[in-house]
PDB file of all heavy atoms in Angstrom:
ATOM      1  N   THR P  25     -17.765  25.539 -17.175  1.00 91.00           N
ATOM      2  CA  THR P  25     -16.875  26.130 -16.153  1.00 91.00           C
ATOM      3  C   THR P  25     -16.152  27.442 -16.668  1.00 91.00           C
ATOM      4  O   THR P  25     -15.753  28.295 -15.795  1.00 91.00           O
ATOM      5  CB  THR P  25     -15.804  25.146 -15.739  1.00 91.00           C
ATOM      6  OG1 THR P  25     -15.209  24.557 -16.872  1.00 91.00           O
ATOM      7  CG2 THR P  25     -16.435  24.044 -14.805  1.00 91.00           C
ATOM      8  N   ALA P  81     -22.127  40.086 -11.512  1.00 97.00           N
ATOM      9  CA  ALA P  81     -22.099  41.370 -10.901  1.00 97.00           C
ATOM     10  C   ALA P  81     -23.371  41.581 -10.107  1.00 97.00           C
ATOM     11  O   ALA P  81     -23.224  42.173  -8.999  1.00 97.00           O
ATOM     12  CB  ALA P  81     -21.941  42.455 -11.887  1.00 97.00           C
ATOM     13  N   ILE P  83     -25.987  39.195  -8.921  1.00 96.00           N
ATOM     14  CA  ILE P  83     -26.460  38.335  -7.890  1.00 96.00           C
ATOM     15  C   ILE P  83     -25.434  37.256  -7.592  1.00 96.00           C
ATOM     16  O   ILE P  83     -25.635  36.356  -6.779  1.00 96.00           O
ATOM     17  CB  ILE P  83     -27.758  37.663  -8.368  1.00 96.00           C
ATOM     18  CG1 ILE P  83     -27.612  36.931  -9.661  1.00 96.00           C
ATOM     19  CG2 ILE P  83     -28.884  38.670  -8.402  1.00 96.00           C
ATOM     20  CD1 ILE P  83     -27.431  35.406  -9.571  1.00 96.00           C
ATOM     21  N   LEU P  93     -23.760  31.160  -9.616  1.00 94.00           N
ATOM     22  CA  LEU P  93     -25.177  31.706  -9.962  1.00 94.00           C
ATOM     23  C   LEU P  93     -26.224  30.831  -9.286  1.00 94.00           C
ATOM     24  O   LEU P  93     -27.391  30.806  -9.794  1.00 94.00           O
ATOM     25  CB  LEU P  93     -25.352  31.792 -11.448  1.00 94.00           C
ATOM     26  CG  LEU P  93     -24.300  32.675 -12.162  1.00 94.00           C
ATOM     27  CD1 LEU P  93     -24.655  32.802 -13.628  1.00 94.00           C
ATOM     28  CD2 LEU P  93     -24.285  34.111 -11.588  1.00 94.00           C
ATOM     29  N   PRO P  98     -35.729  34.325 -12.146  1.00 95.00           N
ATOM     30  CA  PRO P  98     -36.162  34.916 -13.365  1.00 95.00           C
ATOM     31  C   PRO P  98     -36.082  36.468 -13.377  1.00 95.00           C
ATOM     32  O   PRO P  98     -35.779  37.163 -14.354  1.00 95.00           O
ATOM     33  CB  PRO P  98     -37.701  34.564 -13.449  1.00 95.00           C
ATOM     34  CG  PRO P  98     -37.741  33.246 -12.709  1.00 95.00           C
ATOM     35  CD  PRO P  98     -36.785  33.465 -11.539  1.00 95.00           C
ATOM     36  N   GLU P 110     -27.774  48.194 -21.678  1.00 96.00           N
ATOM     37  CA  GLU P 110     -27.256  49.606 -21.354  1.00 96.00           C
ATOM     38  C   GLU P 110     -25.809  49.689 -21.666  1.00 96.00           C
ATOM     39  O   GLU P 110     -25.086  50.704 -21.390  1.00 96.00           O
ATOM     40  CB  GLU P 110     -27.427  49.806 -19.832  1.00 96.00           C
ATOM     41  CG  GLU P 110     -28.941  50.019 -19.390  1.00 96.00           C
ATOM     42  CD  GLU P 110     -29.151  49.838 -17.866  1.00 96.00           C
ATOM     43  OE1 GLU P 110     -28.153  49.600 -17.146  1.00 96.00           O
ATOM     44  OE2 GLU P 110     -30.298  49.972 -17.451  1.00 96.00           O
ATOM     45  N   SER P 133     -17.477  52.164 -10.575  1.00 96.00           N
ATOM     46  CA  SER P 133     -18.627  52.909 -10.179  1.00 96.00           C
ATOM     47  C   SER P 133     -18.305  54.104  -9.456  1.00 96.00           C
ATOM     48  O   SER P 133     -17.466  54.085  -8.515  1.00 96.00           O
ATOM     49  CB  SER P 133     -19.622  51.998  -9.330  1.00 96.00           C
ATOM     50  OG  SER P 133     -20.783  52.749  -9.000  1.00 96.00           O
ATOM     51  N   HIS P 146      -9.625  27.468 -12.468  1.00 93.00           N
ATOM     52  CA  HIS P 146     -10.950  28.184 -12.635  1.00 93.00           C
ATOM     53  C   HIS P 146     -11.331  28.982 -11.390  1.00 93.00           C
ATOM     54  O   HIS P 146     -12.193  29.819 -11.484  1.00 93.00           O
ATOM     55  CB  HIS P 146     -12.048  27.209 -12.994  1.00 93.00           C
ATOM     56  CG  HIS P 146     -11.870  26.669 -14.394  1.00 93.00           C
ATOM     57  ND1 HIS P 146     -10.978  25.712 -14.700  1.00 93.00           N
ATOM     58  CD2 HIS P 146     -12.532  26.946 -15.571  1.00 93.00           C
ATOM     59  CE1 HIS P 146     -11.030  25.394 -16.015  1.00 93.00           C
ATOM     60  NE2 HIS P 146     -11.951  26.136 -16.532  1.00 93.00           N
ATOM     61  N   ARG P 174       1.386   4.116 -12.781  1.00 98.00           N
ATOM     62  CA  ARG P 174       1.501   3.037 -11.726  1.00 98.00           C
ATOM     63  C   ARG P 174       1.050   3.572 -10.456  1.00 98.00           C
ATOM     64  O   ARG P 174       0.366   2.846  -9.607  1.00 98.00           O
ATOM     65  CB  ARG P 174       3.001   2.625 -11.650  1.00 98.00           C
ATOM     66  CG  ARG P 174       3.229   1.500 -10.632  1.00 98.00           C
ATOM     67  CD  ARG P 174       2.861   0.120 -11.188  1.00 98.00           C
ATOM     68  NE  ARG P 174       2.029  -0.637 -10.330  1.00 98.00           N
ATOM     69  CZ  ARG P 174       1.727  -1.875 -10.589  1.00 98.00           C
ATOM     70  NH1 ARG P 174       2.240  -2.561 -11.568  1.00 98.00           N
ATOM     71  NH2 ARG P 174       0.881  -2.522  -9.817  1.00 98.00           N
ATOM     72  N   SER P 230     -28.135  -1.959 -25.828  1.00 94.00           N
ATOM     73  CA  SER P 230     -27.009  -2.689 -25.286  1.00 94.00           C
ATOM     74  C   SER P 230     -26.284  -1.807 -24.259  1.00 94.00           C
ATOM     75  O   SER P 230     -26.584  -0.688 -23.964  1.00 94.00           O
ATOM     76  CB  SER P 230     -26.066  -2.996 -26.434  1.00 94.00           C
ATOM     77  OG  SER P 230     -25.584  -1.715 -26.977  1.00 94.00           O
ATOM     78  N   CYS P 321      -9.736   3.344 -18.622  1.00 98.00           N
ATOM     79  CA  CYS P 321      -8.985   2.706 -17.606  1.00 98.00           C
ATOM     80  C   CYS P 321      -9.991   2.080 -16.573  1.00 98.00           C
ATOM     81  O   CYS P 321      -9.853   0.960 -16.105  1.00 98.00           O
ATOM     82  CB  CYS P 321      -8.043   3.616 -16.894  1.00 98.00           C
ATOM     83  SG  CYS P 321      -6.649   4.206 -17.896  1.00 98.00           S
ATOM     84  N   LEU P 345      -7.253   8.900 -30.651  1.00 88.00           N
ATOM     85  CA  LEU P 345      -8.000  10.185 -30.530  1.00 88.00           C
ATOM     86  C   LEU P 345      -7.016  11.336 -30.519  1.00 88.00           C
ATOM     87  O   LEU P 345      -7.518  12.488 -30.435  1.00 88.00           O
ATOM     88  CB  LEU P 345      -8.785  10.242 -29.193  1.00 88.00           C
ATOM     89  CG  LEU P 345     -10.095   9.379 -29.189  1.00 88.00           C
ATOM     90  CD1 LEU P 345     -10.806   9.693 -27.923  1.00 88.00           C
ATOM     91  CD2 LEU P 345     -10.943   9.739 -30.439  1.00 88.00           C
ATOM     92  N   MET P 407       0.023  21.978 -30.896  1.00 91.00           N
ATOM     93  CA  MET P 407      -1.276  22.449 -31.468  1.00 91.00           C
ATOM     94  C   MET P 407      -1.536  23.940 -31.032  1.00 91.00           C
ATOM     95  O   MET P 407      -2.729  24.383 -31.300  1.00 91.00           O
ATOM     96  CB  MET P 407      -2.422  21.498 -30.880  1.00 91.00           C
ATOM     97  CG  MET P 407      -2.269  20.138 -31.395  1.00 91.00           C
ATOM     98  SD  MET P 407      -3.606  19.050 -30.698  1.00 91.00           S
ATOM     99  CE  MET P 407      -5.099  19.628 -31.501  1.00 91.00           C
ATOM    100  N   MET P 409      -0.631  26.667 -32.498  1.00 91.00           N
ATOM    101  CA  MET P 409      -0.949  27.454 -33.722  1.00 91.00           C
ATOM    102  C   MET P 409      -2.390  26.999 -34.160  1.00 91.00           C
ATOM    103  O   MET P 409      -3.122  27.845 -34.662  1.00 91.00           O
ATOM    104  CB  MET P 409       0.044  27.245 -34.804  1.00 91.00           C
ATOM    105  CG  MET P 409      -0.147  28.187 -35.955  1.00 91.00           C
ATOM    106  SD  MET P 409       1.162  27.972 -37.287  1.00 91.00           S
ATOM    107  CE  MET P 409       2.483  28.660 -36.314  1.00 91.00           C
ATOM    108  N   ASP P 411      -4.756  26.223 -32.188  1.00 90.00           N
ATOM    109  CA  ASP P 411      -5.558  26.899 -31.255  1.00 90.00           C
ATOM    110  C   ASP P 411      -5.890  28.343 -31.636  1.00 90.00           C
ATOM    111  O   ASP P 411      -7.061  28.799 -31.646  1.00 90.00           O
ATOM    112  CB  ASP P 411      -5.000  26.850 -29.791  1.00 90.00           C
ATOM    113  CG  ASP P 411      -6.048  26.763 -28.702  1.00 90.00           C
ATOM    114  OD1 ASP P 411      -7.199  26.383 -29.031  1.00 90.00           O
ATOM    115  OD2 ASP P 411      -5.736  27.064 -27.592  1.00 90.00           O
ATOM    116  N   GLU P 412      -4.848  29.014 -32.135  1.00 89.00           N
ATOM    117  CA  GLU P 412      -4.983  30.399 -32.536  1.00 89.00           C
ATOM    118  C   GLU P 412      -5.849  30.452 -33.844  1.00 89.00           C
ATOM    119  O   GLU P 412      -6.714  31.353 -33.973  1.00 89.00           O
ATOM    120  CB  GLU P 412      -3.583  30.890 -32.846  1.00 89.00           C
ATOM    121  CG  GLU P 412      -2.680  31.119 -31.574  1.00 89.00           C
ATOM    122  CD  GLU P 412      -1.348  31.548 -31.966  1.00 89.00           C
ATOM    123  OE1 GLU P 412      -0.963  31.850 -33.120  1.00 89.00           O
ATOM    124  OE2 GLU P 412      -0.446  31.695 -30.963  1.00 89.00           O
ATOM    125  N   ILE P 417     -11.011  31.748 -36.559  1.00 93.00           N
ATOM    126  CA  ILE P 417     -12.198  31.358 -37.259  1.00 93.00           C
ATOM    127  C   ILE P 417     -13.462  31.747 -36.492  1.00 93.00           C
ATOM    128  O   ILE P 417     -14.524  32.232 -36.993  1.00 93.00           O
ATOM    129  CB  ILE P 417     -12.167  29.846 -37.676  1.00 93.00           C
ATOM    130  CG1 ILE P 417     -11.036  29.569 -38.663  1.00 93.00           C
ATOM    131  CG2 ILE P 417     -13.489  29.353 -38.172  1.00 93.00           C
ATOM    132  CD1 ILE P 417     -10.706  28.154 -38.891  1.00 93.00           C
ATOM    133  N   ASP P 422     -19.073  35.581 -40.448  1.00 70.00           N
ATOM    134  CA  ASP P 422     -19.986  36.642 -40.963  1.00 70.00           C
ATOM    135  C   ASP P 422     -21.289  36.643 -40.155  1.00 70.00           C
ATOM    136  O   ASP P 422     -21.785  35.554 -39.718  1.00 70.00           O
ATOM    137  CB  ASP P 422     -20.284  36.453 -42.431  1.00 70.00           C
ATOM    138  CG  ASP P 422     -18.931  36.691 -43.249  1.00 70.00           C
ATOM    139  OD1 ASP P 422     -18.088  37.415 -42.819  1.00 70.00           O
ATOM    140  OD2 ASP P 422     -18.915  36.068 -44.282  1.00 70.00           O
TER     141      ASP P 422
END
Side-chain angles (χ1 to χ4, degrees):
T25 48
I83 57 98
L93 301 183
E110 291 164 359
S133 181
H146 293 76
R174 181 81 231 190
S230 61
C321 292
L345 285 186
M407 293 177 71
M409 190 174 293
D411 215 18
E412 293 173 4
I417 290 170
D422 293 331

